[in-house]
Amino acid sequence: MALPGPLNRYLLLMAQEHLEFRLPEIKSLLSLFGGQFISNQGTYGKSPFWILSIPSEEIARNLMKRTVCAKSIFELWGHGRSSEELYSSLRSYPVEKMVPFLHSDSTYKIKIHTFNKTLTQEEKVKRIDALEFLPFEGKVNLKKPQHIFSLLEDYGLDPNCIPENPHNVYFGRWIADGQRELIESYSIKKRHFIGNTSMDAGLSFIMANHGKVKENDIVFDPFVGTGGLLIASAHFGAYVYGTDIDYNTVHGLAPYGIRESTRRTGSQKEIPKGMEKCPESHVPVSLSYHLSDMFFDLLNFAAETLVLGGRLVYWLPVYTPEYIEEMVPSHPCLKLISNCEQKLSSHTSRRLITMEKVKKFKLPAGNSPSAAASRVSLFPELVIEDLPAFMGIVFSGYWRLPGNSFPFVLEGCDCGHEGRD
């Protein structure tokens, strides 16, 4: 089976975790590094094997320096639905692309990877011997080879019905591994202090990748909690800071629970003129904060502060039996990029929403009370539903001030079922 196409073909070996989050993460990262998601593969679903066309090996390596959803990437030399098809595909692969990695001065080894089936050592050796028609001239080095090649076999997704022969077989040159180890090295189990709602490390890195956080961005978490999202963003080279209304949580004292009510600073009394700024020692009173108001403020804030192309990522909690797509808050300045579901129970879930700024934000002229009051009706397309009190906010892009443009990423927290971090 020949592999047509002007771009090099690569095989991604995906992790079988957070399945709905994988495709948006890969698309976002390819966009971040100047690539584009191109594939003839019809569906991605639950399969761990994805075939992509990527402009260069450099982009492929950069992708793997960030992704936590992919395990490895390979330069794909051959692919078939049987061993015979694979061998035919390999014979059709241009020899000039193989030679730089197979010459006599090189060392190599071949690894066998199977999904949903375990092979004996004898079966593995038999598969390696069958590849002797390839022009390998170098020496085998199992400990420190210069080049690693992999034969990968896909036996489907049903562990209770494993076929005798694989559905698909792939062969390629290993390029790089992903960043799955970050999930363990930044595990909340290793942190000195966590709240009972701290964000899982894997999801923190996924949110940062969906938001396209990059080096020298400024990351602001308006619901910082115990700081999980800031840790992930800082790892990718961003400058980070955050705020939280809960003093105890920020200072590592008693954690709060998922029943924590939504609040904001403020007073029902009219603030005297000239008292807008309070002394540093002042502890402002708080008011109840309706979630529809919170979403309204946050989406408008994102639309106002991001430059075109900046991103907003947030968690949207839903009651599954009543969920419809129209429940996702919308804004005329923001375009929906992805909507990924994480199931929490048989009837609840939360959805990771990624939006991108596509239109400039405009305020009404003047600072009169009438102008301020009209702010609510500025965006008739802004749709917000009343939602349970757990969500997280992430913004990414640039904060533009009069006469200046600063790199700016606003990355928020999960204050919900699994965390307000």
Side-chain angles (χ1 to χ4, degrees), residues 34-301:
Q36 185 179 359
F37 186 86
I38 301 175
S39 176
N40 294 326
Q41 193 168 335
T43 180
Y44 295 89
K46 298 180 180 180
S47 173
F49 299 102
W50 295 7
I51 299 177
L52 304 180
S53 296
I54 300 178
S56 68
E57 185 173 315
E58 180 183 5
I59 292 178
R61 290 184 181 276
N62 286 334
L63 169 67
M64 302 311 287
K65 290 178 181 178
R66 288 288 302 262
T67 177
V68 294
C69 289
K71 291 183 176 181
S72 303
I73 193 168
F74 308 86
E75 182 183 57
L76 188 60
W77 287 12
H79 165 224
R81 295 180 181 177
S82 65
S83 297
E84 291 71 23
E85 283 193 10
L86 172 66
Y87 303 152
S88 175
S89 177
L90 286 171
R91 290 186 174 94
S92 301
Y93 192 77
V95 176
E96 60 271 18
K97 291 186 176 182
M98 295 184 181
V99 169
F101 311 102
L102 306 180
H103 58 79
S104 58
D105 295 333
S106 65
T107 59
Y108 72 94
K109 74 173 180 179
I110 299 176
K111 298 175 65 175
I112 305 295
H113 177 90
T114 57
F115 181 78
N116 197 30
K117 187 172 185 177
T118 302
L119 300 179
T120 65
Q121 186 63 27
E122 182 181 355
E123 290 174 321
K124 292 180 180 180
V125 171
K126 183 178 180 181
R127 283 161 170 73
I128 293 174
D129 289 342
L131 297 170
E132 62 181 2
F133 65 89
L134 292 175
F136 287 103
E137 296 182 2
K139 296 180 179 180
V140 174
N141 186 326
L142 300 181
K143 293 184 177 181
K144 293 184 179 180
Q146 292 175 314
H147 308 295
I148 300 174
F149 301 91
S150 291
L151 178 71
L152 305 98
E153 297 184 345
D154 180 10
Y155 288 87
L157 299 168
D158 188 354
N160 299 316
C161 185
I162 302 174
E164 181 178 351
N165 298 311
H167 297 317
N168 288 280
V169 189
Y170 310 89
F171 183 85
R173 178 175 63 92
W174 173 82
I175 300 297
D177 289 333
Q179 303 302 307
R180 297 286 296 170
E181 73 279 358
L182 293 178
I183 298 174
E184 175 60 26
S185 60
Y186 284 94
S187 170
I188 58 176
K189 296 178 182 179
K190 297 182 178 180
R191 293 168 60 181
H192 294 295
F193 171 77
I194 61 171
N196 60 355
T197 55
S198 293
M199 172 69 78
D200 167 77
L203 290 174
S204 295
F205 283 104
I206 286 174
M207 291 181 72
N209 284 336
H210 281 213
K212 299 169 69 173
V213 175
K214 62 185 181 300
E215 188 175 4
N216 294 327
D217 278 343
I218 299 175
V219 175
F220 170 60
D221 184 341
F223 305 97
V224 69
T226 56
L229 293 176
L230 297 188
I231 293 173
S233 298
H235 176 83
F236 291 141
Y239 297 96
V240 300
Y241 67 103
T243 60
D244 198 285
I245 200 170
D246 194 301
Y247 177 93
N248 291 334
T249 299
V250 174
H251 289 78
L253 304 176
Y256 46 81
I258 63 174
R259 293 182 178 84
E260 181 79 5
S261 60
T262 54
R263 294 174 291 148
R264 65 180 177 88
T265 58
S267 173
Q268 294 180 348
K269 298 179 181 180
E270 183 178 354
I271 301 176
K273 188 175 181 180
M275 292 292 292
E276 291 83 359
K277 293 185 178 180
C278 301
E280 185 176 347
S281 59
H282 174 71
V283 179
V285 297
S286 61
L287 299 173
S288 61
Y289 198 11
H290 198 276
L291 280 178
S292 61
D293 294 331
M294 181 186 294
F295 271 106
F296 185 89
D297 290 342
L298 288 167
L299 264 69
N300 274 346
F301 184 64

Side-chain angles (χ1 to χ4, degrees), residues 218 305-308 397-408:
I218 299 175
T305 58
L306 298 177
V307 296
L308 294 176
Y398 291 87
W399 184 22
R400 189 174 294 279
L401 297 177
N404 295 282
S405 180
F406 299 98
F408 194 77

